[in-house]
Amino acid sequence: MDKFVVNGGNRLCGRICVSGAKNAAVAILPAVLLAESPCIIENVPDISDVHGVLRAMSALGATVTPITRNSFEIDPTGVRSYVVNKELAQGMRASSYFLGALLGKCKKAKVAPPGGCAIGLRPIDQHIKGFEALGAKVSIESGMVVARADKLSGCSVYLDMVSVGATVNIMIAAVRAKGMTIIENAAREPHIVDLANFLNSMGADIMGAGTSVIKIRGVEHLHGTTYSIIPDQIEAGTYMVAAAATRGDVVISNVIPKHLESIIAKLKEAGATIEEGDEFVRVAMNKRPGKCNVKTMPHPGFPTDMQPQFATLLAIADGTSIVTESVWENRFRYVEQLTFMGASIQVDGKSAIITGAKKLKGAHVQADDLRAGAAMIIAGLVAEGQTEISSIEYIDRGYEMVVEKLTAVGADIKRVSDEKYGYTLKAN
Ligand code: UD1
């Protein structure tokens, strides 16, 4: 298994270009199945979660042709299967989006339950509630989720909690239903808007994405389109925090600053100087970060996917901060790893009380999940000495060329292979 080896202490300075959004890509790609002619999708991040989705699409019968590293032509007209089995679904949380896409396309779908990060129970009851309201019957057969419908009809669905996944899945299933579907208490994340823009560019009729009420007027046909995925808000936020934590000065380009508002606000509160351009943000920090409290919330609140990275910044802040996690019930597993590096953090239910340490020390740590892994990289960058991070396959799920991007701004980070005869340096 590969590891990252980070020698801490370097200030990050320079420019990092952000890749396409993982969470938009894993929703938009399955939705391509609904098109009646090929689509070209651009700005697709080169990460393992996306390759998992493309592999599943190809297994279903779609023809996936790479044009460049980050753009693909996908022809879904050859899709005959409606089954995504366990091998294909494993390791990608977004496998559930094939339920909505195949239900919309074939009126039937059989999909193994999603894998993904160990950040808490990941129920799909709200997705199922939506499918059933649209007229589908949903059951569990031999461990697979099976949805079938004679026809899909527009409906009103009120989500009991703000769920990104349920909002995505119901939108995808409803675009070709007969009549109007209304999703109330919908998620408002940037990738929901991106998915709606993509579907509309195929001929769908979706209004209100980005608000908590989304209206989807069903259409009979969806045509192929060329579409470019938005930049990744969380990748951008991760590098912003890394810049601040190392007291660096980094321009993070190919971003939509509006999507970063809550992260910008909290970084400013911690003492960073932030300049915003049309498509970039510049983060500079010339002192020890100050304490601040953070509570994760659905968009436009502070994203849960930035919680471990921000907590790492607060672990070296001057003073005591409280981080409250209100989306996932098990998102503090990384705290133990940070304490191996000298952080002082006490978890009490949904909150972590962080007493800033003057410095962290390099240690052997593991990535417990994708964003926990990003937090370990930030911790390694600021720590004294060497940090070895294992289980980096989680990080590969969501960060394209993380070693190259960080090295270009002055970090000392390498990917190494833990091979039989010791460590072998290897290109990322
Ligand atoms: C998505 C993101 C993930 C992010 C999360 C919250 C993708 C691929 N993943 O995950 O990175 O951390 O949003 O911003 O976009 N819930 C239910 N029943 C359901 C659905 C959700 O109880 O049917 C609960 C979950 O347990 C969780 C909360 O609702 O506590 C939010 O989950 P949701 O927004 O659905 O997250 P995901 O779409 O899985």
Side-chain angles (χ1 to χ4, degrees):
M1 283 300 205
D2 289 358
K3 295 183 181 185
F4 287 147
V5 176
V6 188
N7 288 302
N10 294 2
R11 287 180 69 219
L12 301 188
C13 292
R15 177 182 287 266
I16 296 181
C17 185
V18 168
S19 299
K22 162 180 145 340
N23 287 348
V26 299
I28 286 172
L29 291 169
V32 166
L33 295 177
L34 295 165
E36 287 159 27
S37 49
C39 290
I40 293 176
I41 309 296
E42 299 169 340
N43 205 31
V44 179
D46 182 10
I47 51 175
S48 64
D49 257 19
V50 158
H51 293 302
V53 173
L54 290 173
R55 216 169 18 249
M57 293 179 74
S58 166
L60 287 166
T63 307
V64 178
T65 312
I67 302 169
T68 66
R69 179 193 181 112
N70 298 109
S71 60
F72 294 84
E73 183 180 80
I74 303 167
D75 181 354
T77 54
V79 171
R80 300 286 173 263
S81 168
Y82 62 95
V83 182
V84 177
N85 64 25
K86 197 173 161 199
E87 285 69 44
L88 291 169
Q90 247 169 14
M92 62 162 164
R93 170 64 187 164
S95 68
S96 65
Y97 295 159
F98 283 101
L99 279 171
L102 290 165
L103 188 61
K105 184 181 180 75
C106 316
K107 305 285 175 288
K108 52 189 177 184
K110 188 171 181 180
V111 177
C117 280
I119 55 178
L121 277 179
R122 301 194 87 159
I124 57 165
D125 53 293
Q126 300 300 305
H127 308 224
I128 292 173
K129 178 178 172 179
F131 297 152
E132 288 179 340
L134 284 162
K137 287 206 166 21
V138 184
S139 56
I140 306 291
E141 293 173 19
S142 313
M144 308 269 278
V145 185
V146 183
R148 285 192 188 84
D150 294 332
K151 61 172 188 153
L152 296 172
S153 308
C155 62
S156 271
V157 197
Y158 175 84
L159 298 180
D160 295 333
M161 75 284 300
V162 178
S163 161
V164 171
T167 306
V168 165
N169 237 340
I170 297 166
M171 267 168 73
I172 294 176
V175 279
R176 280 174 57 182
K178 203 161 177 49
M180 175 82 93
T181 298
I182 301 175
I183 309 175
E184 288 183 76
N185 200 25
R188 293 181 280 165
E189 267 65 6
H191 42 289
I192 302 283
V193 179
D194 206 34
L195 173 65
N197 288 341
F198 165 68
L199 290 168
N200 283 342
S201 79
M202 290 206 293
D205 185 357
I206 302 175
M207 293 153 288
T211 75
S212 53
V213 181
I214 301 179
K215 294 184 178 169
I216 305 142
R217 198 188 306 276
V219 294
E220 286 197 2
H221 300 285
L222 291 169
H223 51 77
T225 183
T226 296
Y227 192 81
S228 184
I229 288 172
I230 53 166
D232 197 303
Q233 168 206 20
I234 305 300
E235 189 199 7
T238 301
Y239 292 129
M240 289 165 73
V241 171
T246 60
R247 300 192 196 179
D249 184 348
V250 180
V251 172
I252 293 133
S253 60
N254 185 35
V255 300
I256 300 173
K258 178 102 187 109
H259 294 169
L260 301 169
E261 275 174 351
S262 59
I263 302 166
I264 290 172
K266 283 291 156 186
L267 278 173
K268 280 185 177 165
E269 214 175 304
T273 305
I274 305 209
E275 184 193 336
E276 290 178 49
D278 286 344
E279 289 186 0
F280 74 87
V281 288
R282 177 179 174 185
V283 180
M285 184 81 136
N286 58 10
K287 55 180 187 246
R288 189 176 174 194
K291 62 179 179 175
C292 74
N293 297 336
V294 178
K295 183 175 183 184
T296 66
M297 309 270 269
H299 191 80
F302 189 88
T304 171
D305 288 352
M306 280 302 300
Q307 186 259 99
Q309 301 90 312
F310 208 86
T312 305
L313 175 82
L314 297 176
I316 51 162
D318 188 6
T320 300
S321 311
I322 300 176
V323 171
T324 306
E325 173 58 50
S326 68
V327 178
W328 297 111
E329 79 271 19
N330 190 19
R331 208 160 197 177
F332 286 125
R333 288 184 354 141
Y334 67 89
V335 162
E336 185 184 16
Q337 306 296 319
L338 281 185
T339 58
F340 296 156
M341 299 179 72
S344 171
I345 307 178
Q346 278 181 317
V347 176
D348 183 7
K350 291 182 161 196
S351 295
I353 298 136
I354 305 176
T355 308
K358 282 216 165 96
K359 57 186 177 197
L360 298 180
K361 287 197 192 111
H364 288 210
V365 292
Q366 69 185 37
D368 283 318
D369 60 59
L370 167 59
R371 305 306 170 184
M376 292 307 118
I377 292 181
I378 296 170
L381 292 173
V382 299
E384 242 177 39
Q386 192 168 83
T387 297
E388 245 183 63
I389 307 170
S390 57
S391 300
I392 61 168
E393 60 280 6
Y394 280 116
I395 302 172
D396 291 336
R397 285 187 41 211
Y399 290 90
E400 176 174 336
M401 300 212 302
V402 63
V403 167
E404 284 84 345
K405 289 187 187 189
L406 285 171
T407 305
V409 291
D412 182 346
I413 175 170
K414 287 185 178 61
R415 177 185 292 257
V416 299
S417 260
D418 188 2
E419 287 174 349
K420 197 175 167 189
Y421 300 107
Y423 288 102
T424 314
L425 291 185
K426 197 177 121 180
N428 189 26

